[in-house]
Amino acid sequence: MRRTARTAPSRGRRTARLLTAAAVCAGALATLTAVPAQAHRLPHWEVKETGAPDARFRGLAAVSRHTAWVAGSGGTVLRTTDGGETWRDVSPPGDEGLEFRDIEAFDARRAVALSIGEGEASRVYRTDDGGATWTESFRNTDPRAFYDCLTFFDHRHGLAMSDPVDGRFRILSTGDGGRSWTVLPSAGMPAAQDGEAGFAASGQCLVASGPKDVWLATGGAARARVLHSADRGLTWTAFDAPVPAGDPARGVFALAFRDRVHGLAVGGDYRTGQSSPSAAARTTDGGRTWRPAGTPPPAYRSGVAWLPHSRGAALAVGPTGTDLTTDGGRTWRTVGTGSYDTVDCTPDLACWASGERGRVARLER
């Protein structure tokens, strides 16, 4: 979910500020492809030392330029409030065996984290004091369920999704900010394909935009699909996505919507050395139709995020690099080779990325 500013300036000042921010952001990212002679002035990923080299951070919640949360392997959750200069280990105690794959933060004190796995390994935790204490608000007791991602519409309403149970994706709902959860009825969920599932690779297989719209990314089956709900998960419609499919390792891994109609999908084949042609797509009608990128990223990508206050700029990340689009996903160009699993941007023009070996970075100029 996206955070909003505490105070709102007048409409004229706010519009001017957003226009200026958009121009600065787009200009800065465009220079990522400038000539090497200007390299010392280029925006770049600046790695922030986390002190957790054994963790892989597939969960990322960027709150602002100063505040971010990451969640990953070994039950590890970290938080920074000084732009990544220092990180505090705020991991839930006694849960070193958990695999955290998603985290959603409302601010520097309130966050909800999801651990993944079969049966009771799938859990949800919430903190209201910056991670000093955590409350386990959900523990899966169905051995057939495997939760992958969660998302929030606002500070109260959110969803989590599980791989299919009895032939349909299972949806978990909260109306109190993640303090309690209820499994939604499955009647409004289309039947899953044989082998279809979500990918818990970046915390972006379930994303929301606005008060009621939410999208779910799938793979592992004959066709990669994106499912859409306009009523907070009660009813869903499935649409095919033109990304690699037909194998358990292929599909849509991440989604990003900048509003209820403009969206991006990235994915491919996550296996090292396997090609991933046409592993990016875009929609301009809320996910009803998806068009393949004319020039896609050159390899599998697991995370994607729109640039703040931009109508066309976005970043995609994966184990082999970072790609930039400035035309709404029609074309992508590689702008970095570092390994990252997920990416998130904030309204105050900050973009963060995280991944293997404890890597967390912020886009710097």
Side-chain angles (χ1 to χ4, degrees):
M1 62 169 291
R2 291 290 178 261
R3 276 63 54 181
T4 56
R6 290 184 178 178
T7 59
S10 65
R11 179 174 297 181
R13 290 176 57 198
R14 182 175 183 273
T15 300
R17 182 179 300 176
L18 292 182
L19 289 174
T20 301
V24 170
C25 186
L29 284 164
T31 62
L32 278 166
T33 57
V35 296
Q38 298 173 333
H40 65 285
R41 300 171 56 187
L42 295 183
H44 60 281
W45 288 122
E46 182 175 290
V47 176
K48 307 294 184 178
E49 179 57 49
T50 63
D54 296 329
R56 185 165 191 167
F57 294 120
R58 294 183 184 271
L60 167 65
V63 176
S64 69
R65 181 170 181 79
H66 301 289
T67 300
W69 302 67
V70 290
S73 57
T76 307
V77 180
L78 306 182
R79 183 193 65 147
T80 183
T81 56
D82 58 11
E85 294 301 314
T86 61
W87 293 84
R88 177 173 294 182
D89 187 341
V90 295
S91 307
D95 290 318
E96 294 80 6
L98 295 181
E99 288 283 333
F100 286 109
R101 295 294 180 93
D102 200 353
I103 187 166
E104 301 291 323
F106 307 114
D107 49 40
R109 296 184 61 80
R110 298 175 296 166
V112 179
L114 170 74
S115 69
I116 62 101
E118 296 178 349
E120 293 191 1
S122 288
R123 307 177 193 178
V124 179
Y125 293 80
R126 178 182 166 106
T127 182
D128 290 289
D129 54 14
T133 62
W134 294 85
T135 299
E136 182 183 304
S137 58
F138 172 77
R139 181 179 298 209
N140 174 48
T141 57
D142 189 335
R144 302 169 299 171
F146 186 115
Y147 285 85
D148 299 295
C149 293
L150 57 81
T151 191
F152 276 84
F153 303 94
D154 51 42
H155 289 188
R156 295 176 54 205
H157 302 92
L159 301 176
M161 59 81 69
S162 164
D163 290 339
V165 176
D166 294 328
R168 299 176 191 271
F169 285 94
R170 176 170 288 181
I171 302 297
L172 202 62
S173 175
T174 180
D176 55 13
R179 294 178 178 88
S180 63
W181 297 84
T182 303
V183 175
L184 293 181
S186 63
M189 177 66 70
Q193 304 173 81
D194 289 343
E196 193 171 25
F199 291 107
S202 59
Q204 295 177 329
C205 59
L206 185 71
V207 300
S209 181
K212 293 185 177 182
D213 286 278
V214 61
W215 296 263
L216 188 162
T218 82
R223 305 184 312 279
R225 302 195 297 177
V226 176
L227 281 62
H228 172 239
S229 171
D231 54 12
R232 290 184 183 159
L234 292 176
T235 59
W236 297 79
T237 306
F239 304 97
D240 290 350
V243 301
D247 187 278
R250 299 174 184 167
V252 179
F253 281 70
L255 299 168
F257 277 79
R258 66 175 176 84
D259 52 36
R260 68 188 309 266
V261 295
H262 297 91
L264 300 170
V266 300
D269 190 321
Y270 71 78
R271 293 171 296 189
T272 302
Q274 295 296 313
S275 63
S276 292
S278 302
R282 64 186 178 91
T283 181
T284 57
D285 58 9
R288 288 189 293 274
T289 58
W290 292 87
R291 300 176 183 176
T295 305
Y300 157 70
R301 294 295 182 253
S302 55
V304 64
W306 289 95
L307 274 295
H309 315 306
S310 171
R311 296 177 62 86
L315 292 170
V317 299
T320 61
T322 298
D323 302 284
L324 167 71
T325 179
T326 56
D327 56 14
R330 293 175 178 84
T331 60
W332 296 83
R333 45 188 168 171
T334 301
V335 294
T337 57
S339 174
Y340 296 101
D341 292 315
T342 189
V343 60
D344 194 14
C345 299
T346 67
D348 63 349
L349 302 181
C351 288
W352 296 77
S354 65
E356 63 182 346
R357 299 178 182 177
R359 286 169 60 90
V360 180
R362 191 179 67 182
L363 198 66
E364 303 287 355
R365 178 161 185 151

